[in-house]
């Protein structure tokens, strides 16, 4: 069997490479998944819904999104989902897109982040694509003197426990369900032990919960 994880380039896995070998994609770019094969994804919409509910409940009427420095699918899917959710509330998502050059120089990165953070309305909720970006947001807020969480509330994604507890203030994060994703992938393969061509669909796995 084959589990292809985090794939972004469709050319790497042409159908003829596997023939009838049971194959499932995991957290792979839908545009790169071999036609007719299943893809297990963490549900970006559900992740954004969890964060949005939390922000609204603590009085953050405006919400921003800090994505990855490259347009990878697992960052852009959350961006699109958050845009759609906020549009239902008659609001516009406040977005940040970093460049690779900005991430390679700490001082340049913090200057860029400070300019963006200072431009946000207060109070504002900031959803980061993952905990690593959320930690950078918190560090930049300290550098430019923005109070957290009174002026800006920050939520990450993944729930890297050691990282979330290490920063000050500690980081809230949406915990994704890796176990359920793995079980979903194996379930597809178990149902179709000879070939996975009959189940070419996207399987969405909801997050576990928000860890405050």
């Amino acid at each position: 069997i084959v589990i292809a994880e985090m794939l972004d380039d469709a050319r790497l896995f042409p159908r003829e490479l596997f023939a009838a070998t049971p194959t499932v994609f995991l957290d792979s770019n839908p545009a790169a998944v071999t036609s007719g094969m299943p893809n297990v994804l963490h549900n970006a919409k559900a992740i954004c819904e969890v964060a949005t509910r939390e922000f609204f409940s603590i009085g953050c009427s405006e919400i921003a999104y800090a994505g990855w420095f490259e347009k990878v699918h697992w960052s852009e899917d959350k961006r699109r989902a958050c845009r759609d959710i906020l549009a239902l509330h008659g609001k516009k998502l406040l977005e940040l897109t970093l460049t690779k050059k900005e991430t390679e120089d700490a001082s340049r990165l913090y200057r860029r982040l400070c300019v963006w953070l200072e431009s946000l309305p207060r109070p504002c909720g900031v959803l980061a694509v993952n905990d690593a970006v959320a930690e950078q947001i918190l560090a930049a807020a300290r550098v430019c003197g923005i109070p957290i969480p009174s002026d800006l509330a920050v939520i990450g994604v993944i729930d890297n426990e050691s990282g979330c507890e290490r920063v000050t203030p500690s980081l809230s994060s949406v915990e994704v369900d890796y176990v359920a994703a793995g079980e979903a992938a194996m379930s597809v393969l178990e149902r179709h032990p000879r070939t996975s061509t009959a189940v070419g669909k996207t399987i969405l796995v909801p997050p576990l919960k928000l860890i405050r």
Side-chain angles (χ1 to χ4, degrees):
I1 64 173
V2 174
I3 297 177
E5 184 182 15
M6 300 289 285
L7 184 73
D8 275 302
D9 189 344
R11 294 170 298 178
L12 296 178
F13 287 85
R15 174 171 292 283
E16 57 270 20
L17 182 66
F18 295 121
T21 302
T23 303
V24 61
F25 289 80
L26 181 61
D27 273 335
S28 293
N29 185 347
V33 172
T34 305
S35 177
M37 292 186 176
N39 189 21
V40 178
L41 293 172
H42 293 288
N43 192 327
K45 181 180 179 182
I47 289 171
C48 292
E49 285 175 341
V50 168
T52 300
R53 283 197 301 269
E54 178 70 5
F55 287 138
F56 285 167
S57 73
I58 61 175
C60 294
S61 58
E62 301 295 334
I63 296 177
Y65 177 74
W68 196 241
F69 61 84
E70 294 178 302
K71 286 194 173 183
V72 288
H73 75 93
W74 45 267
S75 177
E76 296 307 302
D77 61 358
K78 296 181 186 68
R79 187 189 303 275
R80 288 189 296 269
C82 288
R83 282 177 186 165
D84 293 344
I85 291 169
L86 286 183
L88 294 175
H89 293 274
K91 296 181 178 293
K92 183 179 179 180
L93 182 67
L94 308 171
E95 304 176 36
L96 170 70
T97 302
L98 296 169
T99 66
K100 189 172 183 180
K101 284 186 177 180
E102 288 171 332
T103 63
E104 291 172 344
D105 183 299
S107 60
R108 185 175 181 178
L109 173 62
Y110 288 144
R111 284 196 301 271
R112 175 75 171 88
L113 288 175
C114 279
V115 169
W116 183 66
L117 293 174
E118 288 173 343
S119 73
L120 298 177
R122 314 292 172 84
C124 183
V126 180
L127 175 63
V129 61
N130 57 26
D131 293 343
V133 172
E135 289 180 33
Q136 293 176 331
I137 296 291
L138 290 176
R142 286 195 299 272
V143 169
C144 51
I146 299 176
I148 302 287
S150 59
D151 282 16
L152 295 177
V154 182
I155 294 177
V157 177
I158 291 177
D159 186 41
N160 177 355
E161 185 175 351
S162 60
C164 292
E165 295 293 338
R166 181 181 66 243
V167 294
T168 303
S170 57
L171 176 66
S172 294
S173 184
V174 179
E175 183 180 7
V176 296
D177 198 340
Y178 287 114
V179 173
E183 289 175 344
M186 294 310 298
S187 177
V188 169
L189 295 173
E190 287 172 357
R191 289 197 304 271
H192 300 271
R194 295 186 181 278
T195 177
S196 63
T197 57
V199 288
K201 63 179 182 179
T202 299
I203 302 164
L204 298 178
V205 179
L208 280 172
K209 56 187 173 181
L210 175 68
I211 305 296
R212 294 176 179 83

